[in-house]
Amino acid sequence: MRLSCDVDLKNRLLPSHGMAGKSRPMRCSLAIGRRGSSDSNPEGAVFLMVCSAKNKTGTKYKLKENMEQVFARFIEEGKATLRLKEPAQDICISKADPLQLKNFLSVLKLGYKGQSSDLSKVHLSTLTPATTAQVERPKTKLVILRRSDYPVLERFPKGLESLRVNGCGLSRVDPRILELKSLRALDLSGNRIRALPNDPGQLSALAELKVANNLLERLPPSLCLSSLRTSLQFLDLAGNSLKFFPPQICDLASLLRLNVANNQLTSLPEHFGQLSRLRFFSAAENQIEVLPFSFMDLAMEEVDFSGNCFKCEMAEGSAAGLQRTQDGFPSLLEVAARAIKKQRVSYTEEDLPRHLYHHLSQVKWCVCSGPCFQPYAKHRVPFNLHRVAHTLVGPTAAPIQGFICSAFCLSNLQANPNAPWKCRRK
Ligand SMILES: [Zn+2]
C-alpha cells in the first residue's frame, strides 16, 4: 500500500522552543508495512514509512497506539493530517488522489489500532526504498512545438494543468486532452482545427482556452453552455474564419478576456452586455457595422475595434436615427411569441407550431428590457466608446443599434432622446 502525495512534516515542539518551523511540502511516497519480527511478535510491528526524493530509504514511524489524531475533514480535496504521539510530529498530506487517500487512511486505522487480524487481509508494503518515479512531482506543464513530439500512443500526464500544442497541424481537439481533469490552460493555437467539440468532457477547471490561428468557422453553442460557463476566463479565437457568434457566448459568465480579432464577424449577439466581467475585448479586423444596444452595459479596461466598418451616419429618412419598421398593431404571432418570452414559458421544438418556434429564435430586446421579434422601430445612435472602456485602440465612436417594442417605448425615447437607455416602462 503506497500513496503518492505532497507531505509537509511539522515538528510540534519547535514553536515551544521559539523556532518557527519553516518547511515546504515535498513530493513523498507513503507506505504501510511490517518490519522486525521477533518471537513475541512473529508478524513484526506495523510502520508508516515516508520516502522523499532526498531520503528515498525513508523515515519509519511505528504505528501501533502511536497516533494522537487523524484530521480528515478535507479528504475529498486530497488532504489529511496525521498527528503522531512519538515523535511529536504532524504529517500534513496534500495533493493526494482522494480515493487512494481514503483507502490509505482505512488501512492506517487498522495499523494504529493494532487490529492485526484485519490487517493480515490487506496487502501491505515490504517497506523497500521508494523509486525515483514514486517521489517525482507529477508533470503539470507540457509544451509541444513539433509534430514529432506529439504523443501518439501514450497518454498525457494525468495531473497536467497547462498544455500548449502549437504548430503541430492538429485537425481536431484530441479526445485524450478532454480527459485531463486538472487542465486550467489549453493553448492549441496555430493548428488546422476546423471545429471545437460540442462537449468539453472532463475539462471542468479550464480557465484559459486559446485556439487562435486555426480554421474554425463556428463556435458550438453547447460548448458555451457547458461547465465552461463558469470556469472560462480567457478565450482567444483570433485569426479564424468565424462569421457569427452564437448568442450562447453571452452565457460565459466568468469571461475576462475575449479576443476575436481577424475573423469575419458582421455583428455581436444582442445580449453581449451580459458579459459583465469582460475587461479586455478585441474584435479588430472584422466586418462589424453596428454594436448591440446592450454593449452600453459593459465596463472594460481595453477595447479594440480597429479595422471594422462602422457606419456612424443615420439611416436615411429617419429622425435622430429612428426608423419605423412596423406599421399598425403587432401580429398575433408576435403577441404569442412576446408572451412566451415574458412569462418565461419553457418549450421545446415539439411543443409549438413550427413558425412560432422559428419566430422565437429571433428575439430582440427593447430599451425597456421587454422582448420583441418584429420591432415597432429601431434606432441607431453614435456611441462614444470611452464610456465603456479606459483604453481604446482604433475608433473612439461606434453606432449602436437598439430596438423599440411599441409606440409607448417610442414616445418615451422621443421624450428622452439623449439617454434612451434610461427609457424604462414605469
Ligand atoms: Zn419596450
Side-chain angles (χ1 to χ4, degrees):
M1 167 121 298
R2 273 189 183 272
L3 176 73
S4 278
C5 56
D6 276 16
V7 168
D8 194 0
L9 283 172
K10 284 200 163 93
N11 191 322
R12 295 200 300 277
L13 297 179
L14 280 182
S16 59
H17 288 82
M19 287 185 277
K22 241 188 187 176
S23 54
R24 274 181 58 199
M26 294 175 296
R27 197 67 189 171
C28 285
S29 165
L30 303 188
I32 299 170
R34 288 183 194 278
R35 186 50 67 92
S37 55
S38 64
D39 290 342
S40 58
N41 187 0
E43 287 179 323
V46 182
F47 286 90
L48 167 70
M49 184 170 77
V50 181
C51 304
S52 65
K54 276 185 190 163
N55 177 12
K56 283 185 201 158
T57 341
T59 313
K60 295 178 193 73
Y61 302 94
K62 200 177 166 193
L63 269 187
K64 194 176 176 185
E65 288 157 16
N66 189 28
M67 191 66 68
E68 198 169 303
Q69 211 171 343
V70 175
F71 301 92
R73 193 171 165 192
F74 297 105
I75 198 165
E76 294 297 340
E77 293 171 25
K79 293 178 187 169
T81 297
L82 316 177
R83 176 160 287 177
L84 296 171
K85 285 183 188 164
E86 191 59 44
Q89 274 190 351
D90 284 358
I91 302 174
C92 307
I93 298 172
S94 58
K95 293 188 183 170
D97 180 86
L99 199 68
Q100 282 182 10
L101 183 61
K102 270 182 203 171
N103 286 336
F104 189 83
L105 291 188
S106 62
V107 176
L108 188 87
K109 198 173 173 184
L110 299 178
Y112 66 77
K113 290 205 167 167
Q115 290 162 332
S116 300
S117 55
D118 291 330
L119 211 54
S120 59
K121 293 172 197 158
V122 187
H123 179 73
L124 291 180
S125 160
T126 48
L127 297 185
T128 45
T131 60
T132 310
Q134 281 168 335
V135 289
E136 231 175 22
R137 207 166 270 284
K139 218 172 187 177
T140 57
K141 204 172 171 185
L142 185 62
V143 178
I144 302 169
L145 301 173
R146 272 186 312 194
R147 179 87 206 181
S148 55
D149 294 340
Y150 193 81
V152 181
L153 295 173
E154 64 268 39
R155 289 178 163 210
F156 287 97
K158 211 175 154 191
L160 221 51
E161 290 174 10
S162 165
L163 174 62
R164 199 174 130 202
V165 185
N166 298 154
C168 290
L170 296 186
S171 58
R172 63 184 185 131
V173 180
D174 192 330
R176 289 176 300 168
I177 294 177
L178 303 181
E179 290 170 7
L180 300 169
K181 280 184 190 169
S182 312
L183 203 64
R184 288 187 45 79
L186 176 61
D187 182 354
L188 297 173
S189 300
N191 285 290
R192 305 184 61 76
I193 299 169
R194 289 191 173 274
L196 290 176
N198 287 321
D199 182 6
Q202 311 272 321
L203 301 180
S204 55
L206 197 70
E208 202 178 301
L209 177 61
K210 293 184 184 174
V211 263
N213 302 318
N214 278 284
L215 305 170
L216 297 176
E217 286 180 3
R218 61 182 283 271
L219 186 66
S222 53
L223 191 67
C224 305
L225 297 174
S226 65
S227 57
L228 298 189
R229 222 168 64 137
T230 48
S231 69
L232 200 65
Q233 295 178 0
F234 183 8
L235 179 59
D236 188 352
L237 297 164
N240 281 287
S241 309
L242 297 173
K243 290 194 172 67
F244 86 105
F245 264 149
Q248 289 81 354
I249 195 168
C250 310
D251 286 285
L252 294 172
S254 301
L255 210 58
L256 288 172
R257 273 175 188 269
L258 177 60
N259 187 355
V260 285
N262 289 300
N263 277 283
Q264 295 153 31
L265 296 172
T266 53
S267 64
L268 297 179
E270 281 300 313
H271 287 317
F272 199 76
Q274 257 183 27
L275 295 169
S276 57
R277 293 204 178 166
L278 196 66
R279 294 294 174 266
F280 300 88
F281 177 53
S282 173
E285 306 302 330
N286 279 283
Q287 290 140 36
I288 300 170
E289 289 179 11
V290 63
L291 299 179
F293 197 74
S294 66
F295 199 82
M296 291 198 281
D297 298 337
L298 295 168
M300 293 177 282
E301 298 278 327
E302 192 178 309
V303 169
D304 184 357
F305 274 122
S306 47
N308 279 281
C309 31
F310 289 145
K311 287 177 188 147
C312 277
E313 77 274 14
M314 303 303 175
E316 223 173 284
S318 63
L322 270 169
Q323 192 186 2
R324 280 284 295 274
T325 48
Q326 190 199 88
D327 291 315
F329 294 103
S331 65
L332 202 55
L333 181 70
E334 176 75 12
V335 174
R338 284 186 191 189
I340 286 172
K341 280 284 172 193
K342 258 187 194 166
Q343 306 299 328
R344 298 185 179 182
V345 178
S346 59
Y347 57 88
T348 63
E349 202 168 351
E350 290 88 49
D351 299 335
L352 301 172
R354 209 164 154 201
H355 57 292
L356 179 56
Y357 184 80
H358 179 69
H359 201 66
L360 279 163
S361 66
Q362 297 164 349
V363 66
K364 295 170 182 69
W365 297 89
C366 171
V367 288
C368 71
S369 316
C372 54
F373 301 86
Q374 289 162 346
Y376 182 76
K378 61 183 179 184
H379 68 114
R380 201 177 263 212
V381 283
F383 179 66
N384 184 352
L385 290 169
H386 272 297
R387 289 182 47 177
V388 291
H390 283 295
T391 312
L392 294 177
V393 185
T396 53
I400 239 167
Q401 180 167 271
F403 297 96
I404 293 151
C405 70
S406 61
F408 178 82
C409 285
L410 181 63
S411 65
N412 250 348
L413 181 67
Q414 280 166 334
N416 195 6
N418 293 325
W421 50 93
K422 286 189 178 163
C423 164
R424 293 275 187 267
R425 197 184 285 271
K426 291 190 179 92

